[in-house]
Amino acid sequence: MPAYVVFIRDQPPHDPEQMSVYQAMNRQSVPSSLPFGIKPLAVYGATEALEGKAPDGTVILQFPSMAKAKAWYHSAEYQAALPYRLNASDYRAFIIDGLGS
């Protein structure tokens, strides 16, 4: 069953330099992310609020399973980049199970 990692940023980054480092590290780690079956579905696209306030940015990543999503999040490559995101801005991040086929 697919799983989705969702990142929600409610405010613009307060440290754009740290965010740039995080984004560069993520781009560099694309080859090492492939074994996790990662599939970006939405990455900071235009957002229209239907209820409440629209977030400043949203990322939705699809994985083949909850186990693969957790393995990617806890991988050495992502954990090396994570402090830069945490220093750059406030996010909410979570993993949610998708619907089976």
Side-chain angles (χ1 to χ4, degrees):
M1 158 178 342
Y4 302 89
V5 174
V6 180
F7 297 94
I8 299 171
R9 184 178 71 205
D10 289 318
Q11 303 291 325
H14 48 265
D15 191 333
E17 287 182 28
Q18 293 277 311
M19 184 58 72
S20 292
V21 172
Y22 169 75
Q23 291 169 337
M25 290 178 78
N26 278 337
R27 284 190 295 277
Q28 292 171 357
S29 71
V30 167
S32 62
S33 296
L34 295 178
F36 299 106
I38 189 171
K39 180 180 178 184
L41 299 180
V43 181
Y44 299 107
T47 303
E48 182 177 333
L50 298 176
E51 297 180 15
K53 182 183 172 200
D56 179 62
T58 305
V59 174
I60 303 172
L61 306 173
Q62 180 180 319
F63 292 85
S65 66
M66 182 71 80
K68 290 276 191 181
K70 288 179 183 180
W72 168 79
Y73 183 84
H74 294 291
S75 69
E77 291 83 2
Y78 188 72
Q79 289 298 303
L82 179 59
Y84 294 97
R85 179 174 62 80
L86 296 176
N87 289 330
S89 192
D90 297 322
Y91 277 80
R92 290 178 280 149
F94 53 92
I95 303 172
I96 184 169
D97 264 332
L99 299 174
S101 44

